[in-house]
Amino acid sequence: MTIARTVDDACAALAERPDALLLAGGTDLMVGVNRGQVRFDDVVVLDRVDELRGWRREGDELVLGAGLTYAEMVRGEIPTLVPALAQAARTVGSPQIRNAGTLGGNVATSSPAGDTLPVLTALDATIDLRSSQDTRQLPISRFVTGVKQNALEPGELIEAVRVPVLDGPQEFLKVGTRNAMVISVVSLALVVDRSGRNVRVGLGTVSPVPLRAVEAEAHVGGCIDWDTGSVPDTADVDRFAALVAGAARPIDDHRGTAAYRSHAVGVLARRALLRAFPGSAP
Amino acid sequence: MSTDPYVLRVNGGDHQVPDAYLGESLLWVLRERLGLPGSKNACEEGECGSCSVQVDGELVCSCLVLAAAAVGREITTIEGIAPGGGLADVQRAFVEAGAVQCGFCTPGLLMAVDTLLDDLPDDGSDPDDLTVREAISGNLCRCTGYGRILEAVSIAADIRRGGRT
Amino acid sequence: MTDTRIEQRAPRIGESAPRPDGIPKVDGSFTFSSDLWHDRMLWGGTLRSPHPSARIRSIDIGPAVAVAGVYAVLTATDVPGNPDYGLEHVDQPVLATDVVRYEGEPVAIVAADHPEAVRLALDAIVVDYELTAPLVDPGKAESSDPIHPDGNLIRRIHLSHGDQDVVGEVVVEGTYEVGMQDQAFLGPESGLAVPAEDGGVDLFIATQWLHGDRDQVAACLGIEPDLVRLTLAGVGGAFGAREDLSLHVHLCLLALYTRRPVKMVYSREESFHGHVHRHPARMWYRHHADRAGNLVRVEARLLLDGGAYASSSSAVIANATCFAAGPYRIPSADIEGVVVRTNNPPCGAMRGFGAVQTCIGHEAQMDRLATALGTDPVELRMQNVLAPGDRLLTGQVITGTAPVAEVLGTCADHPSAATLPSDPMSLPGGAGRTTDPEHVRRGEAVALGFKNLLFSEGFDDYSSAICRLEDGIATVTCACAEVGQGFVTLAQQITREVLGVDDVVLAPASTATVGSAGSTSASRQTWMSGGAVQAACEEVRTTLLTRIAAEHGVDPDELVLADGRVMSLACGLEIDLAEATAEPVESEVEFHHAPTSALDENGQGDAHVSFAFSAHRAIVDVDRDLGLVKVVELTTSQDVGRVLNPLQAVGQLEGGAAQGVGLAVMEEVQVLDGRIRNASFTDYLVPTALDMPPVEIAALVEEPEPGAPFGAKGIGESPSITSTAAVVAAIRAATDLDLTHVPVRPTDIALAEA
């Protein structure tokens, strides 16, 4: 077992012992360990690597350390700079989970229900990966490859997540069947880029990997009156919601039915759009 | 599979943990190796809060902390929140308010409320109802319906501000 | 608001006494059953069937025995006594023999020196199953091949009351479904068994009924009951789920086999498989009324899914049937109650015990009837409420108190404190920010219900208590299982009240020191064990005063016991109680309630001792498009007989309502093809502090109940009975939807045909 102090430490340990588990906040991994479903002989502990903590601004980009906790995403300037990320972080688990769980962990777990993933998807986030040999970057869309599957190679760890700082409103909405501490049934992130004059939508829990509603984005992008910040025609709002719902490829499971998820994601899309463009015809 | 011996700092004292299985959670080590069973084991998946402890002042679920990875941290459990020999303000408030029934959620809730009150703003205002509810939303209680717990938080906040002793 | 301030002096009856176990529960020193520890202790574990229905061809324990650190691997052939156990019907195997009948049925048990070794050993046991098609539809149980030698029908009750030819001028019909609820107590099943020198075993366990467990455990171990000594360990909630055995026999088998203490603690997932749940119900109702709104007849068909084993299903269906139509005056009824066996998880006791499901049905019917009549739903109820002297559907005349009109009226008329939500967190969807104020529709509704107190149908129910008064200190011994409800507080209050002492010591609850207290269920312990403690204390008082009167040549009737002294106002005699009881006085009593009778072939008979009534009003906000609900406020009135401890009474009302809110909007054990899909707290959701509204107590209606100690009725179950029905009705009011499935799921609202 290695309690790493630097990213180099961690990468060196991983290079030597590529089968070692990576442990950050523990909020996913330890559930499996407690159930006896995850057994391991070696672990590299990341929660004391200062380089992975915190975040910094580089131009129009935020570099969010993989060790940034959900609680940290809700505090300080992040709610202003990346509002949807803060909104998503606040819906994760409980205060206890938000104190421990990390952005890097959410990305690495790559669950369809991972709450930050729709936001990162809408923002076209970039994942900074590092090993003892190399660094590389992957867009979130190529990083997550399936249900709890991703492109992380043996010996590699997530160092940071890069997201743009956009000029425009952002919305994250998540349906659960409880008012707190609940896994997503369906979620949606909508971000507006005024300077790029586009709207981007990430969907959660409606497909094996987080999804962009590209058709809906393309449609609504052409309907917005950017001067007044509104979607003048109600039919376009309806069309947007329908396209988002149509983009979803949900399944039936114990948390919700596919039919409900498709319906709900359309409702969330409409509401997110109307919040982002409050002058719109409802 | 077993670890090298390690030392955990719990409630201000150092505790040796010899020859443990690597996968043991902090909760398990506290309860079964260190004789500190006050932290409770209701779900062991981070969904009930009954194992809540403070690690370096942060409220976390001890069931989701790998014990061997907590070396060097300051761990505070329910056994460590009272000043010598007595009860902490939150503990007194829970008894007084009738916030305790079966008591299984109580230690975890006390840790959550203690953390909340530690983090109160300095302006002397009490936390509002929604703030309190969100702060304890990770602690399930199946007996009380939370009514008396909210009352206890209000009493404890009052005590901590010096409103009463 | 009820005055719940705690008295500073040792409180008596009617005052808010603090719990004697309060301080150890807040400082972490209280020992729950999962906290037990013993030198040389081994860990136990259970191998469970992954299949709801299968034949066992063979079990190979060899690989498990070979795992390092393993001390025992036992199967059904190692059960020395009765292979089966059961609360009412002995039909459930200690360990499966040739078949498994539900997912999670115990097949083998292991003891080892570390939980990880236990897990490895359980993984190493090889069971060869031949899968068989599970019977999962309770509607097909009676026409399917029996899945158990006792057959698939557990009990059918046909209640026929009054003139069967009555037809109402207004008739409403409805079909309702209630899902399977889990008690979800927080303290998982756990215990410690210690083998004894005498060949017996000491079992420290969280349970609702020590003596009931002891008798079943002893029969399975094949030893005398005296050799099985059960002591209550700290109980982390119960709510019915600890009335049946779970790991009791397994622990004792492992301890006796290994000659080592053995501890076992279920995981949360295992707990979902390891105890009975609330019965899922399918209910069809037809209510008949005249045009003036008087109920004239109710017909109902109730089908409960008992799961694989009987547990307390027979009693649950009796309750469901007897209380099927609610606390209303109804001259004619035809109710059929059926509970069947399936390959679904076994169901049994949970708070409210059959009356929860039917309250959902009869209250939905009352609302439909009000709509059909064009009348106000509260007025319709008020017009039909039961009163003392009325007959129930069982023909039994209510001889005790029945302040139903007052319960309903105070609740319905209570002013609401509910405001419109301002913070998004208090809207439906909460932290998920799904809902804006304009998406919300508010609904309000009232539900009324009732249930029996104590055991019914001729069961000779009793509780035992010993009171010993020595050196001015009273020691009370009673095997009543304290599960959080606060009996320990009441026992002290009752003793102080009767004996005028401050110092009351409660001895541990154990089968070794006192007779049975019966089960902590059926809202019965305040009455039964409270009654036993009261009677024991009164006998001690009488004996003491008689002795002192004789010693001092005074009339015993002149003597009083108060404030730690024996006094005579007539002659000025005053003796310190400590001095008076240097020679101790002790009394042991067995307290029985009034006898009841069985139900006859028409479901008629004086089957019940007493009844408790409650009402809830719910106000909810509903996001119709997403089907999300926020319960904004609950208001309740309850018939309590007399309040013995206001603080604890409030705690019962709030806590019971929370379980009702859970059942209304989120709690359902989802079973598909006999398998539980959500056996975790990640997916079986119970209300958090952000889901539970404030509970306004409009009235604790105090009409002392004849025969009950201090006139107090049991209060634990009522809050769970009417709260669910009220919340669901309020959601109907907000949405104009029928919503016949409980819990109401988001899809039921969002995708409903308008």
Side-chain angles (χ1 to χ4, degrees):
Chain A
M1 176 173 129
T2 302
I3 297 182
R5 300 285 171 174
T6 65
V7 175
D8 283 341
D9 276 358
C11 289
L14 276 179
E16 201 177 309
R17 310 183 315 264
D19 290 340
L21 288 181
L22 281 170
L23 177 71
T27 55
D28 281 312
L29 182 63
M30 286 301 292
V31 175
V33 173
N34 289 340
R35 288 182 182 165
Q37 292 163 344
V38 176
R39 294 199 168 92
F40 59 95
D41 296 322
D42 200 355
V43 59
V44 176
V45 181
L46 300 174
D47 67 354
R48 268 173 265 199
V49 180
D50 284 340
E51 299 157 76
L52 298 179
R53 305 301 298 256
W55 57 276
R56 64 182 188 275
R57 185 163 183 167
E58 290 182 358
D60 286 339
E61 200 169 61
L62 289 194
V63 183
L64 306 167
L68 193 66
T69 65
Y70 301 110
E72 289 162 349
M73 286 180 245
V74 177
R75 291 198 285 260
E77 285 180 90
I78 292 180
T80 317
L81 295 169
V82 202
L85 188 64
Q87 292 162 7
R90 194 178 174 191
T91 72
V92 175
S94 60
Q96 289 87 331
I97 298 298
R98 297 196 285 276
N99 283 336
T102 64
L103 182 61
N106 204 228
V107 172
T109 297
S110 302
S111 161
D115 288 315
T116 67
L117 300 187
V119 180
L120 300 183
T121 300
L123 289 169
D124 277 330
T126 301
I127 313 300
D128 286 4
L129 300 170
R130 178 140 154 213
S131 67
S132 63
Q133 301 297 313
D134 203 5
T135 62
R136 61 178 181 138
Q137 295 188 322
L138 280 179
I140 184 81
S141 59
R142 284 180 47 213
F143 180 79
V144 182
T145 55
V147 175
K148 298 199 174 182
Q149 291 183 332
N150 58 48
L152 200 66
E153 298 283 346
E156 209 171 32
L157 56 78
I158 299 173
E159 189 173 21
V161 176
R162 291 170 185 269
V163 295
V165 177
L166 300 178
D167 171 25
Q170 301 186 356
E171 286 290 333
F172 174 83
L173 296 82
K174 163 177 155 182
V175 171
T177 37
R178 184 161 69 182
N179 280 345
M181 196 160 62
V182 68
I183 306 268
S184 160
V185 174
V186 52
S187 67
L188 175 142
L190 181 147
V191 301
V192 178
D193 179 3
R194 281 199 193 107
S195 42
R197 300 226 154 176
N198 63 53
V199 172
R200 282 131 64 174
V201 179
L203 310 181
T205 334
V206 291
S207 53
V209 299
L211 203 66
R212 280 278 292 278
V214 284
E215 255 189 282
E217 291 175 5
H219 171 76
V220 79
C223 308
I224 293 161
D225 179 341
W226 291 99
D227 297 327
T228 62
S230 66
V231 182
D233 189 342
T234 308
D236 289 321
V237 176
D238 294 342
R239 178 83 185 130
F240 173 74
L243 285 170
V244 168
R249 300 198 307 279
I251 57 165
D252 284 333
D253 68 13
H254 55 284
R255 294 176 190 143
T257 63
Y260 175 77
R261 286 186 161 114
S262 289
H263 164 82
V265 79
V267 174
L268 297 187
R270 163 188 297 278
R271 292 181 181 179
L273 188 70
L274 293 178
R275 285 184 198 168
F277 298 99
S280 307
Chain B
M1 290 247 286
S2 67
T3 61
D4 294 332
Y6 57 90
V7 175
L8 291 180
R9 186 157 182 82
V10 185
N11 299 330
D14 287 337
H15 297 259
Q16 286 281 340
V17 184
D19 190 32
Y21 162 59
L22 180 55
E24 288 173 7
S25 68
L26 176 59
L27 174 66
W28 203 83
V29 168
L30 288 170
R31 290 174 51 77
E32 303 295 343
R33 295 194 181 276
L34 303 186
L36 295 168
S39 307
K40 294 297 174 233
N41 57 318
C43 80
E44 297 183 70
E45 57 190 357
E47 296 281 349
C48 75
S50 58
C51 68
S52 298
V53 300
Q54 292 161 356
V55 174
D56 288 345
E58 294 255 43
L59 185 73
V60 298
C61 291
S62 62
C63 73
L64 299 183
V65 175
L66 186 69
V71 171
R73 305 286 200 192
E74 286 286 342
I75 298 159
T76 306
T77 72
I78 186 65
E79 289 92 348
I81 65 166
L87 291 180
D89 47 12
V90 285
Q91 293 171 314
R92 283 161 53 202
F94 266 57
V95 173
E96 186 177 324
V100 178
Q101 288 188 31
C102 91
F104 206 83
C105 70
T106 305
L109 263 160
L110 286 164
M111 298 309 293
V113 174
D114 186 60
T115 309
L116 168 74
L117 298 185
D118 272 348
D119 296 343
L120 282 185
D122 296 328
D123 63 6
S125 62
D126 273 348
D128 64 43
D129 180 62
L130 274 177
T131 302
V132 175
R133 287 179 185 267
E134 188 175 12
I136 64 168
S137 65
N139 293 81
L140 298 180
C141 172
R142 193 57 163 166
C143 294
T144 68
Y146 306 103
R148 296 310 93 201
I149 291 168
L150 294 168
E151 175 68 17
V153 175
S154 160
I155 293 172
D158 210 21
I159 300 174
R160 193 160 297 192
R161 293 198 179 289
R164 40 177 290 194
T165 52
Chain C
M1 179 69 199
T2 310
D3 184 356
T4 53
R5 281 172 302 183
I6 291 183
E7 295 290 329
Q8 292 307 305
R9 66 177 177 81
R12 307 302 203 256
I13 285 300
E15 299 169 351
S16 284
R19 302 180 64 96
D21 56 9
I23 288 173
K25 282 178 174 177
V26 297
D27 72 12
S29 65
F30 185 82
T31 304
F32 289 93
S33 56
S34 52
D35 301 337
L36 297 162
W37 193 87
H38 197 291
D39 273 345
R40 302 180 63 246
M41 173 180 97
L42 299 174
W43 290 84
T46 310
L47 180 70
R48 296 175 180 276
S49 167
H51 310 296
S53 175
R55 272 186 278 282
I56 297 176
R57 290 202 194 96
S58 65
I59 304 175
D60 181 6
I61 63 167
V65 173
V67 171
V70 169
Y71 285 72
V73 183
L74 305 180
T75 63
T77 55
D78 299 301
V79 179
N82 197 334
D84 299 325
Y85 69 94
L87 263 180
E88 296 172 356
H89 304 274
V90 179
D91 70 342
Q92 182 159 6
V94 172
L95 291 166
T97 51
D98 50 341
V99 293
V100 288
R101 297 188 179 88
Y102 72 98
E103 182 203 25
E105 179 154 4
V107 173
I109 48 176
V110 166
D113 60 6
H114 189 284
E116 178 63 5
V118 171
R119 285 193 286 264
L120 292 170
L122 292 173
D123 289 350
I125 298 171
V126 182
V127 184
D128 184 10
Y129 292 103
E130 178 191 341
L131 303 193
T132 47
L135 167 61
V136 296
D137 179 354
K140 294 179 179 157
E142 288 197 78
S143 58
S144 298
D145 290 339
I147 62 166
H148 188 282
D150 294 353
N152 293 347
L153 175 66
I154 298 174
R155 189 175 185 190
R156 165 178 276 109
I157 302 173
H158 192 174
L159 183 155
S160 177
H161 179 72
D163 177 358
Q164 292 301 302
D165 297 325
V166 172
V167 176
E169 294 165 319
V170 180
V171 177
V172 294
E173 207 174 307
T175 303
Y176 309 93
E177 241 182 46
V178 182
M180 182 186 290
Q181 189 179 22
D182 188 71
Q183 298 84 352
F185 49 56
L186 283 195
E189 288 87 346
S190 44
L192 177 75
V194 184
E197 298 277 319
D198 60 4
V201 60
D202 288 283
L203 179 61
F204 300 85
I205 191 91
T207 178
Q208 293 177 226
W209 189 357
L210 287 164
H211 289 76
D213 290 357
R214 178 201 59 185
D215 293 348
Q216 295 178 71
V217 171
C220 296
L221 296 178
I223 59 179
E224 288 302 310
D226 287 355
L227 289 174
V228 182
R229 291 162 294 262
L230 270 70
T231 300
L232 190 70
V235 184
F239 316 118
R242 296 191 211 268
E243 204 165 44
D244 296 79
L245 297 187
S246 54
L247 39 62
H248 307 49
V249 184
H250 301 158
L251 271 173
C252 293
L253 286 170
L254 291 170
L256 290 170
Y257 181 89
T258 61
R259 307 304 304 163
R260 296 266 294 259
V262 180
K263 170 174 174 172
M264 204 188 280
V265 182
Y266 283 0
S267 70
R268 180 54 52 184
E269 180 185 6
E270 190 171 20
S271 179
F272 274 97
H273 294 291
H275 63 247
V276 298
H277 309 92
R278 190 191 298 290
H279 291 77
R282 295 179 189 171
M283 306 178 290
W284 168 86
Y285 278 91
R286 186 187 284 148
H287 276 57
H288 302 249
D290 63 22
R291 287 227 166 72
N294 299 303
L295 287 169
V296 295
R297 177 170 166 81
V298 172
E299 300 166 83
R301 298 288 175 268
L302 314 172
L303 176 62
L304 303 190
D305 184 353
Y309 296 104
S311 180
S312 50
S313 284
S314 304
V316 173
I317 194 63
N319 265 19
T321 307
C322 290
F323 309 110
Y328 305 108
R329 212 172 42 242
I330 307 165
S332 162
D334 174 22
I335 318 278
E336 184 188 63
V338 176
V339 60
V340 295
R341 196 188 298 275
T342 65
N343 292 116
N344 290 323
C347 291
M350 183 174 174
R351 195 177 198 171
F353 205 79
V356 167
Q357 294 94 324
T358 51
C359 184
I360 290 164
H362 65 67
E363 288 306 270
Q365 284 290 104
M366 292 301 283
D367 288 337
R368 279 191 187 187
L369 189 57
T371 304
L373 288 160
T375 183
D376 176 77
V378 173
E379 277 173 29
L380 175 70
R381 287 173 171 82
M382 193 60 92
Q383 182 179 343
N384 288 283
V385 291
L386 285 170
D390 285 342
R391 276 184 196 281
L392 305 177
L393 302 185
T394 52
Q396 180 169 357
V397 174
I398 300 178
T399 54
T401 60
V404 195
E406 192 178 349
V407 165
L408 175 61
T410 52
C411 179
D413 295 342
H414 193 73
S416 166
T419 53
L420 289 173
S422 47
D423 191 304
M425 194 64 115
S426 55
L427 289 161
R433 305 176 65 260
T434 54
T435 305
D436 302 305
E438 65 264 29
H439 306 128
V440 168
R441 283 165 67 182
R442 182 159 282 189
E444 176 178 334
V446 170
L448 180 66
F450 80 138
K451 179 189 180 290
N452 55 334
L453 303 174
L454 322 184
F455 286 177
S456 295
E457 293 191 86
F459 190 87
D460 180 23
D461 189 19
Y462 68 93
S463 176
S464 319
I466 302 168
C467 175
R468 182 182 174 89
L469 189 55
E470 183 172 16
D471 297 330
I473 297 169
T475 302
V476 171
T477 308
C478 180
C480 170
E482 169 61 49
V483 301
Q485 82 276 29
F487 174 75
V488 287
T489 326
L490 292 182
Q492 287 189 326
Q493 289 178 262
I494 290 168
T495 306
R496 290 184 191 124
E497 181 82 18
V498 177
L499 295 177
V501 294
D502 279 357
D503 297 329
V504 181
V505 176
L506 300 175
S510 167
T511 60
T513 51
V514 63
S516 175
S519 174
T520 298
S521 62
S523 300
R524 66 179 284 288
Q525 287 295 20
T526 297
W527 187 318
M528 297 304 298
S529 291
V533 169
Q534 181 191 23
C537 291
E538 283 172 350
E539 272 196 19
V540 163
R541 182 179 62 191
T542 303
T543 305
L544 176 66
L545 296 185
T546 305
R547 186 173 83 194
I548 289 173
E551 284 167 9
H552 293 83
V554 298
D555 182 349
D557 291 342
E558 282 178 19
L559 295 176
V560 292
L561 202 49
D563 301 329
R565 288 189 292 276
V566 181
M567 293 178 289
S568 164
L569 298 175
C571 67
L573 178 73
E574 186 172 327
I575 310 169
D576 184 73
L577 189 62
E579 192 184 312
T581 56
E583 186 190 328
V585 187
E586 181 174 307
S587 178
E588 176 167 7
V589 303
E590 210 173 77
F591 178 87
H592 295 250
H593 64 62
T596 59
S597 16
L599 295 169
D600 69 15
E601 67 280 8
N602 290 319
Q604 301 294 291
D606 293 346
H608 308 295
V609 180
S610 175
F611 310 93
F613 306 86
S614 63
H616 277 88
R617 182 185 66 203
I619 297 177
V620 303
D621 282 346
V622 182
D623 179 338
R624 176 78 160 77
D625 296 328
L626 290 173
L628 300 176
V629 176
K630 167 79 181 175
V631 184
V632 175
E633 184 187 73
L634 280 174
T635 302
T636 185
S637 289
Q638 189 168 321
D639 157 38
V640 298
R642 182 177 170 196
V643 178
L644 301 186
N645 181 326
L647 192 60
Q648 290 194 167
V650 169
Q652 286 297 309
L653 267 60
E654 290 176 334
Q659 294 181 1
V661 166
L663 178 59
V665 296
M666 64 180 82
E667 290 187 33
E668 181 170 10
V669 178
Q670 297 181 42
V671 182
L672 183 69
D673 299 331
R675 294 170 203 277
I676 300 181
R677 304 170 88 194
N678 56 340
S680 72
F681 276 171
T682 308
D683 284 312
Y684 184 88
L685 302 181
V686 303
T688 71
L690 280 167
D691 300 282
M692 191 53 200
V695 178
E696 291 285 319
I697 297 175
L700 297 172
V701 179
E702 294 192 83
E703 282 187 20
E705 175 75 343
F710 307 102
K713 289 184 172 180
I715 60 170
E717 291 176 286
S718 295
S720 296
I721 294 172
T722 38
S723 46
T724 304
V727 171
V728 174
I731 301 171
R732 290 192 194 104
T735 58
D736 296 322
L737 296 171
D738 283 341
L739 301 177
T740 56
H741 180 92
V742 173
V744 179
R745 300 158 296 200
T747 185
D748 298 335
I749 299 171
L751 298 186
E753 299 294 328

